[in-house]
């Protein structure tokens, strides 16, 4: 259908010329001689005003004023108030009319209400802005890695091995409920892959295999976690960016994470000024200043051991008590980044018992070369490490965890055939979108959230 994007009408207004635009009616006003329709086609956060001169003798369809109706409008571009372009309608075609039970009748609905209609909430200002910022962030991440010699690789979503070893894998099976097998082994032998399979919680293990050939790689795809975490920052299906770099140690991993984040956030501030203005007005006062502050200061770094000491000395009453050896909870992470450092902070060198088998073992025998990035407002958005490159040490760590080594021979082989120091991290894309927009619930930064007990 030949037409002009509404964004183009605003960005390069051709006053006096005729255009055809399409979109959905967001609001309308009617009076005796004239009616106004605010049209939005999704390309712009701002609606385009269509003026219907009822005295012109033109026959405008009655449905053109109904909320949610889709229209094709042809008319002249004219200068409205403050030189903002508007369209003086000459012809209006109703593409699809919309009845009065259209649920998005009010100017502002609660986010909870909108969650009940994922198929329609994209038509609200909030989702218009969220989805565009998501898109710009995704493109910026690709841009960052592509311009730094990384190769984009696609790792499998169905896998036979569990990367994180936390027992959070969704099972993939074609058999379903059955009591015809004697035991689990027989069941899996009869299943599609002839063994137990699941949805990948991370592309890291395969990412490492690719990095051992291509040097610098990144993945950008969905990861799946069957965690029973009904929190504002957990999804069962989230998008995951995982760079993996050969010839890199922990400080290199930290440097890449900081550089990448500053680049992509800077890009959003440049490319999405209207969206950021919207989030600032409706979600978080001071949002832009917070992000500008982030990109103009060095991130802090603290070891886990020091962080525990700071938390213990804080005098703060935490729901989860703090002791060396415990995993940091969101309340601890936020206290460290919001109260202690007041900025983004890398926490390094965690106890080996609370981290994954693949992390490089530190000489102290107690900690591993892990790193999490904590940011104010969200907590952890990045988790990574230098990897254990020594075959014997890796096998020992896997044995300590009673892992089935047969499932990981491809992975452990990498340490036999030209092993090198290497490392990488995982960035939760939705957590990044939350951080950049100030939207506080992860369900509101992805159009179709999958969370425990919630699928449609
Ligand atoms: O810290 P995680 O579990 O690390 C890994 O998966 C590593 N294999 C990454 C690597 O080194 N390549 O997860 C990484 C990030 C977290 O920091 C968080 O931002 C996000 O993934 N994440 C989730 N986001 C939304 N919902 C969930 N359930 C998430 N679990 C992790």
């Amino acid at each position: 259908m030949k037409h002009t994007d509404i964004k183009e009408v605003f960005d390069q207004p051709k006053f006096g010329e005729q255009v055809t635009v399409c979109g959905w009616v967001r609001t309308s006003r009617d009076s005796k001689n004239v009616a106004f329709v605010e049209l939005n086609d999704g390309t712009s956060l701002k609606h385009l005003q269509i003026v219907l001169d009822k005295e012109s003798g033109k026959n405008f369809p009655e449905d053109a004023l109904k909320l949610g109706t889709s229209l094709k409008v042809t008319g002249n571009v004219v200068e409205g108030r403050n030189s903002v372009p508007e369209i003086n309608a000459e012809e209006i075609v109703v593409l699809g009319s919309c009845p009065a039970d259209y649920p998005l009748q009010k100017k502002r609905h609660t986010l909870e209400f909108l969650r009940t209609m994922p198929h329609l909430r994209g038509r609200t200002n909030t989702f218009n802005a969220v989805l565009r910022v998501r898109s710009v962030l995704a493109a910026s991440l690709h841009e960052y890695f592509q311009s730094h010699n990384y190769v984009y690789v696609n790792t499998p979503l169905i896998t036979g091995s569990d990367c994180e070893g936390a027992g959070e894998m969704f099972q993939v099976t074609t058999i379903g409920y059955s009591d015809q097998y004697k035991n689990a082994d027989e069941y899996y032998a009869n299943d599609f892959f002839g063994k137990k399979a699941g949805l990948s919680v991370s592309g890291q293990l395969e990412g490492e295999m690719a990095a051992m050939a291509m040097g610098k790689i990144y993945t950008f795809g969905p990861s799946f976690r069957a965690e029973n975490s009904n929190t504002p920052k957990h999804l069962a299906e989230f998008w995951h960016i995982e760079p993996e770099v050969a010839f890199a140690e922990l400080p290199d991993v930290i440097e890449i994470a900081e550089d990448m984040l500053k680049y992509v956030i800077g890009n959003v501030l440049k490319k999405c000024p209207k969206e950021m203005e919207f989030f600032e007005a409706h979600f978080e006062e001071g949002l832009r200043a917070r992000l500008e502050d982030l990109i103009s200061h060095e991130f802090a770094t603290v070891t886990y051991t020091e962080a525990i000491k700071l938390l213990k000395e804080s005098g703060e009453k935490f729901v989860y008590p703090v002791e060396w050896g415990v995993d940091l909870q969101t309340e601890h992470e936020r206290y460290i980044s919001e109260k202690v450092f007041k900025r983004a902070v890398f926490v390094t060198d965690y106890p080996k018992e609370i981290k994954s088998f693949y992390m490089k073992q530190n000489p102290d025998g107690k900690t591993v070369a892990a790193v999490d990035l904590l940011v104010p407002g969200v907590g952890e958005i990045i988790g990574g490490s230098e990897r254990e490159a020594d075959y014997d040490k890796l096998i020992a760590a896997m044995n300590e965890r009673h892992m089935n080594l047969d499932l990981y021979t491809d992975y452990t082989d990498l340490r036999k055939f030209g092993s090198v120091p290497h490392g990488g991290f995982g960035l939760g894309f939705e957590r990044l979108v939350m951080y950049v927009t100030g939207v506080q619930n992860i369900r509101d930064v992805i159009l179709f959230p999958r969370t425990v007990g919630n699928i449609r």
Side-chain angles (χ1 to χ4, degrees), residues 371-382:
V371 60
D372 282 357
L373 177 66
L374 315 181
V375 294
V378 178
E380 180 202 328
I381 62 168
I382 282 180

Side-chain angles (χ1 to χ4, degrees), residues 163-164 201-204 225 227 233-244 355 358 372 380-385 387 424-431 442:
C163 173
E164 293 305 312
V201 298
S202 157
Q204 180 198 320
R225 302 229 173 149
E227 317 175 64
K233 57 176 220 177
H234 285 91
L235 289 169
E237 178 182 286
F238 68 97
W239 284 72
H240 208 174
I241 297 96
E242 295 187 276
E244 191 67 38
K355 288 293 183 184
Y358 53 71
D372 282 357
E380 180 202 328
I381 62 168
I382 282 180
S385 73
R387 318 306 186 191
F425 61 84
L427 164 67
F429 189 48
E430 284 75 20
R431 293 207 187 158
I442 201 163

Side-chain angles (χ1 to χ4, degrees), residues 119-137:
H119 59 308
L120 294 175
R121 65 179 179 165
R123 295 193 204 172
T124 60
N125 292 342
T126 296
F127 276 86
N128 183 306
V130 163
L131 292 178
R132 198 171 351 270
V133 166
R134 248 190 101 102
S135 167
V136 169
L137 275 173

Side-chain angles (χ1 to χ4, degrees), residues 5-13 15 21-27 37-50 80-86 123-129 132 273-278:
D5 289 343
I6 287 178
K7 180 177 190 305
E8 296 302 318
V9 176
F10 283 127
D11 288 355
Q12 290 143 24
F15 294 118
V21 292
C22 296
W24 293 268
V25 176
R26 282 296 192 84
T27 62
V37 166
E38 301 252 306
L39 203 66
N40 192 294
D41 66 355
T43 62
S44 156
L45 188 56
K46 206 158 65 178
H47 313 322
L48 179 63
Q49 176 145 288
I50 313 292
R81 212 183 304 153
N82 299 325
S83 301
V84 176
E86 299 177 355
R123 295 193 204 172
T124 60
N125 292 342
T126 296
F127 276 86
N128 183 306
R132 198 171 351 270
K274 289 272 171 269
E275 286 75 10
M276 296 316 288
E277 212 174 278
F278 174 85

Side-chain angles (χ1 to χ4, degrees), residues 335-353:
Y335 185 85
I336 292 169
S337 61
E338 287 164 26
K339 299 274 165 38
V340 182
F341 290 95
K342 300 186 175 62
R343 57 193 160 128
V345 51
F346 289 109
V347 181
T348 65
D349 304 293
Y350 283 74
K352 63 178 183 183
E353 287 77 14

